Amino acid sequence: MAILSVAVLFALGGVLAYAPAIVAAGFVAGKRRPETRFATYLVALATATIGATALLFGLYYRSYYAEWHGPALSVEWTYQLVFTVAAAVYHFCVLGIRLFLPIGFPALLAVSLWYGARAR
């Protein structure tokens, strides 16, 4: 069951990041050369996917520690929320990004090539 949970977390991160990344990359790349569009899509999709997945991981991490946090919407609670999510994002960046490699990296390259080669 743990593998399924991790797979769902990573899939949701990718789904949430896809549309904003494509729009941002399309805006930045414009009608430039194909290799420039490829690089733009690669960076935008990688950054957005890692960011969205890390944020989801941070919210899940925070839900675990919520039992020991202060009263909701207090100053203490705000500090605890911010630093718990920040620590979780750091943990994800250090330990979780490597889980993208088996499937995510080839998919990232394929989608970036596809969008990079398309004429606007």
Side-chain angles (χ1 to χ4, degrees), residues 14-39:
V15 166
L16 290 175
Y18 180 74
I22 293 298
V23 170
F27 180 73
V28 172
K31 293 185 182 235
R32 295 195 173 102
R33 298 184 324 210
E35 58 271 13
T36 305
R37 287 196 311 267
F38 166 73

Side-chain angles (χ1 to χ4, degrees), residues 55-70:
L55 183 63
L56 288 174
F57 178 75
L59 293 175
Y60 177 75
Y61 196 86
R62 192 256 172 235
S63 71
Y64 174 78
Y65 286 105
E67 180 179 345
W68 299 285
H69 283 188

Side-chain angles (χ1 to χ4, degrees), residues 64-87:
Y64 174 78
Y65 286 105
E67 180 179 345
W68 299 285
H69 283 188
L73 303 178
S74 67
V75 174
E76 176 188 19
W77 178 85
T78 304
Y79 280 119
Q80 291 169 337
L81 171 71
V82 168
F83 287 106
T84 301
V85 172

